[in-house]
Amino acid sequence: MHPDLQHLIHLQALDNTAERLRRRIEEIPLAQQSLDARLAQRTASADAVKQRIAANQAARRDIDKDLSVVQTRLSKFKNQLMEVKTNKEYQAMQKEMAHAEEEVSAHETRMLERMEEGDGLAAELKTAEAALKTEQAVVAGERTKLEAERATDQHQLETTLAERARVVSQLSPDALATFQRIAHGRKGLAMAEARDGLCVVCHVRLRPQAFNEVRRNDQLIQCDSCSRILYYVPVPTPATPS
Ligand SMILES: [Zn+2]
């Protein structure tokens, strides 16, 4: 095989690897953001329950106040009851007191409802906080994994680029210039295998004479259609059974 062709095939493989690594490195911040979002969602869920608990507690304090107002009124009535002079006054007072007792009972019912709600919310908070804790552990693990991936990818990228520089130094300037020019206009893909008479990248059939020349792998031949540099990978001869 022509040495330039061999180096160019190698160069293309290294460029593909470098591109894949760069893309993976670029995706890491996005993956980290999605981890942040997952955690934020769980935190928000727990916070929402806490807010409902605060509202429940405020409502209970209000009921307590209402209750003590009525109870004060009730005890005042009880004192006044001793001092009433007439039966009519006594009956009116009794009526007021009965009314106040009803109010007390209504507030107590409301309080019981709120207390039950409070128990439910406490259980909900416990579940939400456990879920948050689990998510925090999962996210921390994922973060460590991403950091390790980034370090590995970064290291591999540096190794690949060093190898690329070594390959470039062995190429003839013309071959390198041709490769760079095609790669620039073809999303980094300057090389194309020719197989079964076709350019495997653009799928255009080569002229039979051109395909024969490509099969020899002894010169740089570009695809008539996509301009990529063509090379041929010999089909391995099937092993003869011994
Ligand atoms: Zn082509």
Side-chain angles (χ1 to χ4, degrees):
M1 187 183 273
H2 191 287
D4 273 344
L5 194 55
Q6 197 159 23
H7 292 320
L8 286 176
I9 292 169
H10 191 185
L11 187 63
Q12 183 70 68
L14 291 167
D15 278 358
N16 294 351
T17 302
E19 182 52 26
R20 182 174 51 80
L21 291 166
R22 275 194 204 98
R23 240 179 287 142
R24 267 167 51 169
I25 293 168
E26 272 171 23
E27 280 164 8
I28 286 174
L30 275 177
Q32 282 170 333
Q33 278 171 24
S34 94
L35 289 179
D36 289 344
R38 269 167 63 179
L39 212 50
Q41 201 189 1
R42 294 285 186 193
T43 308
S45 296
D47 286 349
V49 181
K50 282 179 195 164
Q51 275 171 18
R52 283 162 64 204
I53 288 175
N56 173 275
Q57 284 166 346
R60 281 155 73 168
R61 280 193 298 274
D62 285 347
I63 296 170
D64 261 336
K65 273 183 215 153
D66 292 347
L67 205 51
S68 84
V69 168
V70 188
Q71 273 162 344
T72 308
R73 205 162 75 215
L74 200 55
S75 61
K76 217 166 77 191
F77 288 148
K78 279 178 186 160
N79 292 335
Q80 286 172 353
L81 201 59
M82 313 292 173
E83 293 154 20
V84 293
K85 306 278 188 283
T86 69
N87 198 30
K88 202 180 168 192
E89 271 182 325
Y90 183 83
Q91 273 172 359
M93 192 62 76
Q94 286 281 33
K95 209 174 154 191
E96 292 279 6
M97 283 174 68
H99 182 66
E101 304 268 15
E102 271 168 33
E103 269 186 67
V104 168
S105 162
H107 289 320
E108 280 173 350
T109 304
R110 277 171 62 211
M111 181 58 99
L112 274 175
E113 282 166 4
R114 286 296 190 174
M115 282 166 80
E116 264 175 46
E117 184 193 52
D119 288 348
L121 287 171
E124 244 183 89
L125 182 61
K126 214 173 148 186
T127 307
E129 281 180 336
L132 175 59
K133 208 175 156 189
T134 306
E135 194 74 314
Q136 278 167 336
V138 171
V139 164
E142 293 282 322
R143 255 192 245 285
T144 310
K145 222 168 85 186
L146 281 178
E147 278 311 316
E149 267 173 34
R150 189 217 296 274
T152 308
D153 288 348
Q154 196 65 48
H155 177 73
Q156 272 181 20
L157 180 59
E158 280 158 24
T159 311
T160 305
L161 294 181
E163 175 71 358
R164 186 187 198 278
R166 195 185 63 77
V167 172
V168 163
S169 74
Q170 292 171 330
L171 268 170
S172 75
D174 277 356
L176 179 62
T178 305
F179 178 93
Q180 305 277 49
R181 184 165 38 78
I182 302 169
H184 184 71
R186 294 273 183 268
K187 292 179 177 164
L189 194 59
M191 305 298 289
E193 187 189 337
R195 197 192 304 150
D196 301 328
L198 302 176
C199 164
V200 300
V201 179
C202 74
H203 305 292
V204 166
R205 183 164 292 280
L206 310 177
R207 285 172 292 108
Q209 176 60 27
F211 183 55
N212 275 335
E213 282 168 6
V214 170
R215 282 179 62 150
R216 290 202 295 269
N217 279 332
D218 61 1
Q219 53 181 316
L220 301 192
I221 299 172
Q222 290 176 241
C223 171
D224 281 341
S225 170
C226 70
S227 310
R228 292 188 176 89
I229 302 165
L230 296 163
Y231 61 94
Y232 180 73
V233 181
V235 182
T237 354
T240 30
S242 52

mmCIF file of all heavy atoms in Angstrom, residues 192 199-204 206 223-228 230, ligand 1:
data_model
loop_
_atom_site.group_PDB
_atom_site.id
_atom_site.type_symbol
_atom_site.label_atom_id
_atom_site.label_comp_id
_atom_site.label_asym_id
_atom_site.label_seq_id
_atom_site.Cartn_x
_atom_site.Cartn_y
_atom_site.Cartn_z
ATOM 1 N N ALA A 192 -12.820 7.348 1.979
ATOM 2 C CA ALA A 192 -13.964 6.473 1.714
ATOM 3 C C ALA A 192 -13.470 5.127 1.220
ATOM 4 O O ALA A 192 -12.597 5.054 0.350
ATOM 5 C CB ALA A 192 -14.891 7.110 0.688
ATOM 6 N N CYS A 199 -18.374 3.645 -3.970
ATOM 7 C CA CYS A 199 -17.821 4.438 -2.879
ATOM 8 C C CYS A 199 -18.809 4.238 -1.721
ATOM 9 O O CYS A 199 -19.991 4.544 -1.865
ATOM 10 C CB CYS A 199 -17.759 5.907 -3.279
ATOM 11 S SG CYS A 199 -17.532 7.051 -1.887
ATOM 12 N N VAL A 200 -18.353 3.696 -0.581
ATOM 13 C CA VAL A 200 -19.318 3.338 0.467
ATOM 14 C C VAL A 200 -19.896 4.563 1.164
ATOM 15 O O VAL A 200 -20.879 4.454 1.884
ATOM 16 C CB VAL A 200 -18.736 2.368 1.532
ATOM 17 C CG1 VAL A 200 -18.284 1.069 0.913
ATOM 18 C CG2 VAL A 200 -17.613 3.014 2.319
ATOM 19 N N VAL A 201 -19.288 5.738 0.977
ATOM 20 C CA VAL A 201 -19.829 6.931 1.641
ATOM 21 C C VAL A 201 -20.922 7.573 0.789
ATOM 22 O O VAL A 201 -22.029 7.804 1.271
ATOM 23 C CB VAL A 201 -18.715 7.940 1.985
ATOM 24 C CG1 VAL A 201 -19.308 9.180 2.641
ATOM 25 C CG2 VAL A 201 -17.676 7.302 2.904
ATOM 26 N N CYS A 202 -20.653 7.839 -0.485
ATOM 27 C CA CYS A 202 -21.674 8.508 -1.311
ATOM 28 C C CYS A 202 -22.471 7.517 -2.151
ATOM 29 O O CYS A 202 -23.429 7.908 -2.810
ATOM 30 C CB CYS A 202 -21.044 9.596 -2.177
ATOM 31 S SG CYS A 202 -20.093 8.959 -3.572
ATOM 32 N N HIS A 203 -22.066 6.221 -2.131
ATOM 33 C CA HIS A 203 -22.790 5.145 -2.807
ATOM 34 C C HIS A 203 -22.820 5.261 -4.321
ATOM 35 O O HIS A 203 -23.672 4.651 -4.975
ATOM 36 C CB HIS A 203 -24.241 5.021 -2.277
ATOM 37 C CG HIS A 203 -24.306 4.845 -0.794
ATOM 38 N ND1 HIS A 203 -23.855 3.716 -0.153
ATOM 39 C CD2 HIS A 203 -24.711 5.688 0.186
ATOM 40 C CE1 HIS A 203 -24.008 3.868 1.140
ATOM 41 N NE2 HIS A 203 -24.514 5.069 1.386
ATOM 42 N N VAL A 204 -21.920 6.079 -4.854
ATOM 43 C CA VAL A 204 -21.882 6.194 -6.317
ATOM 44 C C VAL A 204 -20.931 5.127 -6.873
ATOM 45 O O VAL A 204 -19.884 4.858 -6.290
ATOM 46 C CB VAL A 204 -21.466 7.630 -6.736
ATOM 47 C CG1 VAL A 204 -21.097 7.686 -8.216
ATOM 48 C CG2 VAL A 204 -22.600 8.611 -6.438
ATOM 49 N N LEU A 206 -18.163 3.428 -9.066
ATOM 50 C CA LEU A 206 -16.947 3.916 -9.716
ATOM 51 C C LEU A 206 -16.867 3.317 -11.119
ATOM 52 O O LEU A 206 -17.433 2.241 -11.369
ATOM 53 C CB LEU A 206 -15.708 3.493 -8.920
ATOM 54 C CG LEU A 206 -15.704 3.762 -7.420
ATOM 55 C CD1 LEU A 206 -14.432 3.219 -6.798
ATOM 56 C CD2 LEU A 206 -15.832 5.253 -7.155
ATOM 57 N N CYS A 223 -12.867 10.011 -5.222
ATOM 58 C CA CYS A 223 -14.164 9.633 -5.770
ATOM 59 C C CYS A 223 -14.643 10.748 -6.702
ATOM 60 O O CYS A 223 -14.565 11.919 -6.349
ATOM 61 C CB CYS A 223 -15.156 9.421 -4.627
ATOM 62 S SG CYS A 223 -16.867 9.199 -5.159
ATOM 63 N N ASP A 224 -15.108 10.383 -7.902
ATOM 64 C CA ASP A 224 -15.577 11.381 -8.870
ATOM 65 C C ASP A 224 -16.760 12.156 -8.321
ATOM 66 O O ASP A 224 -16.968 13.316 -8.648
ATOM 67 C CB ASP A 224 -16.029 10.691 -10.169
ATOM 68 C CG ASP A 224 -14.839 10.324 -11.045
ATOM 69 O OD1 ASP A 224 -13.752 10.913 -10.817
ATOM 70 O OD2 ASP A 224 -14.992 9.441 -11.910
ATOM 71 N N SER A 225 -17.534 11.503 -7.489
ATOM 72 C CA SER A 225 -18.771 12.122 -7.013
ATOM 73 C C SER A 225 -18.554 12.955 -5.754
ATOM 74 O O SER A 225 -18.949 14.113 -5.693
ATOM 75 C CB SER A 225 -19.799 11.028 -6.755
ATOM 76 O OG SER A 225 -20.906 11.571 -6.098
ATOM 77 N N CYS A 226 -17.909 12.358 -4.700
ATOM 78 C CA CYS A 226 -17.813 13.091 -3.426
ATOM 79 C C CYS A 226 -16.387 13.594 -3.146
ATOM 80 O O CYS A 226 -16.158 14.231 -2.122
ATOM 81 C CB CYS A 226 -18.302 12.219 -2.267
ATOM 82 S SG CYS A 226 -17.210 10.844 -1.865
ATOM 83 N N SER A 227 -15.472 13.306 -4.034
ATOM 84 C CA SER A 227 -14.069 13.759 -3.936
ATOM 85 C C SER A 227 -13.266 13.106 -2.819
ATOM 86 O O SER A 227 -12.108 13.451 -2.609
ATOM 87 C CB SER A 227 -13.952 15.277 -3.743
ATOM 88 O OG SER A 227 -14.705 15.953 -4.665
ATOM 89 N N ARG A 228 -13.861 12.202 -2.076
ATOM 90 C CA ARG A 228 -13.104 11.593 -0.972
ATOM 91 C C ARG A 228 -12.004 10.682 -1.522
ATOM 92 O O ARG A 228 -12.139 10.156 -2.641
ATOM 93 C CB ARG A 228 -14.036 10.821 -0.044
ATOM 94 C CG ARG A 228 -14.971 11.729 0.727
ATOM 95 C CD ARG A 228 -15.752 10.977 1.793
ATOM 96 N NE ARG A 228 -16.564 11.920 2.572
ATOM 97 C CZ ARG A 228 -17.809 12.284 2.241
ATOM 98 N NH1 ARG A 228 -18.389 11.793 1.169
ATOM 99 N NH2 ARG A 228 -18.458 13.160 2.990
ATOM 100 N N LEU A 230 -10.169 7.438 -2.000
ATOM 101 C CA LEU A 230 -10.666 6.055 -1.943
ATOM 102 C C LEU A 230 -9.565 5.071 -1.557
ATOM 103 O O LEU A 230 -8.392 5.272 -1.874
ATOM 104 C CB LEU A 230 -11.231 5.674 -3.305
ATOM 105 C CG LEU A 230 -12.451 6.493 -3.753
ATOM 106 C CD1 LEU A 230 -12.654 6.336 -5.260
ATOM 107 C CD2 LEU A 230 -13.701 6.051 -2.985
HETATM 108 ZN ZN ZN B 1 -17.847 9.024 -3.000
#
